[in-house]
Amino acid sequence: QKEVEQNSGPLSVPEGAIASLNCTYSDRGSQSFFWYRQYSGKSPELIMSIYSNGDKEDGRFTAQLNKASQYVSLLIRDSQPSDSATYLCAVRGGNTGKLIFGQGTTLQVKP
Amino acid sequence: DADVTQTPRNRITKTGKRIMLECSQTKGHDRMYWYRQDPGLGLRLIYYSFDVKDINKGEISDGYSVSRQAQAKFSLSLESAIPNQTALYFCATSDPGAGGGTDTQYFGPGTRLTVL
């Protein structure tokens, strides 16, 4: 079992729709959770971080964390073609403090 | 100017050659990291350093070495490059004392390395 798992996609949504990206993790001691966006050939950039159970909203983005289910998600409202990218879920391990990345989900927003 | 820079940005080399990738940062962060990215595999940690005197292996350190010359500089070396080291390499920095202790990682622009 991979430590951090994401569906590689591609996930295709029409412009204006809600895109839902999911991530599961195996280390129950994990404390910090991050979503990065990566355009093709570019470096990852941080979109959201979340540390407590529940929802965290920032503009069109909402991160959701459920530690009991070991599940973190990212919702993108009013999706735009410019949101088309690969979204990386990253989890900070409970013991080592290192970030473990999922393989990423490719999102395609069609005009 | 970019906070985290990497040189070179692109490099083509031959099997058996020694190559060094360099990372510099102006963020003042103590922690620095080297990752490689391969299609479908996400980012994998090669080495990390929490300060100038602290170097640690990541999950895929075989075939690589690092040097932390100063707080701002962290270099990755391939002593004898092989084709399966062809990948996109990223340097990152973080500061556990900033932003409420979130230790967010910030990435450089990447180096695309091809080993023939």
Side-chain angles (χ1 to χ4, degrees):
Chain A
Q1 181 189 7
K2 293 181 180 178
E3 293 183 72
V4 179
E5 292 205 53
Q6 298 179 253
N7 188 322
S8 60
L11 172 66
S12 183
V13 300
E15 183 174 357
I18 296 175
S20 178
L21 305 165
N22 304 314
C23 174
T24 58
Y25 60 95
S26 60
D27 182 357
R28 284 196 169 275
S30 299
Q31 298 295 321
S32 308
F33 307 86
F34 304 85
W35 283 100
Y36 284 83
R37 178 177 62 199
Q38 186 177 27
Y39 293 111
S40 181
K42 303 296 185 181
S43 59
E45 56 177 326
L46 183 70
I47 298 176
M48 296 280 290
S49 56
I50 187 167
Y51 313 101
S52 303
N53 279 329
D55 295 359
K56 179 181 178 182
E57 186 175 321
D58 184 0
R60 296 187 295 113
F61 299 96
T62 299
Q64 299 175 317
L65 176 61
N66 184 326
K67 289 186 177 180
S69 298
Q70 296 175 246
Y71 177 93
V72 58
S73 65
L74 179 70
L75 300 178
I76 306 175
R77 290 182 300 281
D78 188 25
S79 296
Q80 301 297 309
S82 59
D83 294 325
S84 298
T86 296
Y87 290 80
L88 301 169
C89 172
V91 176
R92 187 179 312 286
N95 292 327
T96 66
K98 293 181 293 185
L99 271 187
I100 307 297
F101 285 85
Q103 71 268 41
T105 298
T106 299
L107 173 66
Q108 297 174 347
V109 181
K110 297 185 180 300
Chain B
D1 288 341
D3 294 322
V4 185
T5 58
Q6 292 183 234
T7 56
R9 295 294 312 279
N10 288 283
R11 181 72 182 268
I12 299 174
T13 190
K14 295 182 178 180
T15 297
K17 295 291 188 181
R18 183 180 189 274
I19 185 168
M20 179 181 289
L21 309 182
E22 299 186 341
C23 177
S24 295
Q25 52 113 346
T26 58
K27 300 181 79 66
H29 290 172
D30 285 327
R31 298 184 173 187
M32 298 186 74
Y33 311 80
W34 275 104
Y35 292 90
R36 67 177 277 176
Q37 187 174 38
D38 300 275
L41 294 179
L43 287 159
R44 293 183 291 167
L45 184 63
I46 306 172
Y47 271 95
Y48 62 104
S49 170
F50 282 177
D51 65 42
V52 174
K53 296 181 181 180
D54 176 75
I55 302 289
N56 303 282
K57 292 182 178 180
E59 60 181 305
I60 55 163
S61 59
D62 287 348
Y64 301 94
S65 63
V66 291
S67 173
R68 183 81 184 266
Q69 300 94 324
Q71 185 203 40
K73 296 185 182 296
F74 192 35
S75 299
L76 176 72
S77 293
L78 288 68
E79 296 300 328
S80 180
I82 56 177
N84 77 358
Q85 291 178 311
T86 293
L88 188 54
Y89 290 83
F90 288 104
C91 173
T93 75
S94 71
D95 178 5
T102 63
D103 203 17
T104 298
Q105 293 191 16
Y106 299 91
F107 287 82
T111 294
R112 186 169 297 280
L113 176 66
T114 302
V115 183
L116 301 177

